[in-house]
Amino acid sequence: MVQAIKGVLVSCDIPMAQFVIHMNEQLPAAQQFIIYVLDDTNIFVQPNVVDMIQKRLQEFRDQNTYEKPLQA
């Protein structure tokens, strides 16, 4: 029998996909949101966590972005 699961496809580069997988692994089993890892750059996740993933990825990018110091 075929079983359908509602979800969202997250496509990103390999480092961001690894970060999302790491986020998922840090949660207790009942709260994990990845339904299936399709390949290195595509992950199928529960639809209710998309905003949380986007927020955490933006925070991660902000922390790892170099900003040139202002010259006085």
Side-chain angles (χ1 to χ4, degrees):
M1 177 175 277
V2 177
Q3 183 180 18
I5 299 173
K6 186 176 183 178
V8 174
L9 177 65
V10 176
S11 294
C12 54
D13 60 2
I14 294 173
M16 286 297 142
Q18 289 301 313
F19 181 72
V20 172
I21 292 169
H22 176 73
M23 284 174 31
N24 185 64
E25 291 172 349
Q26 298 301 311
L27 297 172
Q31 295 178 359
Q32 291 185 350
F33 54 84
I34 291 180
I35 298 170
Y36 194 77
V37 177
L38 300 169
D39 58 28
D40 290 340
T41 60
N42 296 297
I43 304 170
F44 195 57
V45 300
Q46 296 175 2
N48 60 325
V49 297
V50 173
D51 291 334
M52 184 269 297
I53 292 172
Q54 288 176 336
K55 180 181 174 191
R56 294 279 305 272
L57 286 176
Q58 185 61 45
E59 290 171 357
F60 178 72
R61 277 191 231 124
D62 290 345
Q63 291 173 356
N64 292 296
T65 301
Y66 175 75
E67 292 180 11
K68 185 177 180 179
L70 296 175
Q71 295 181 4

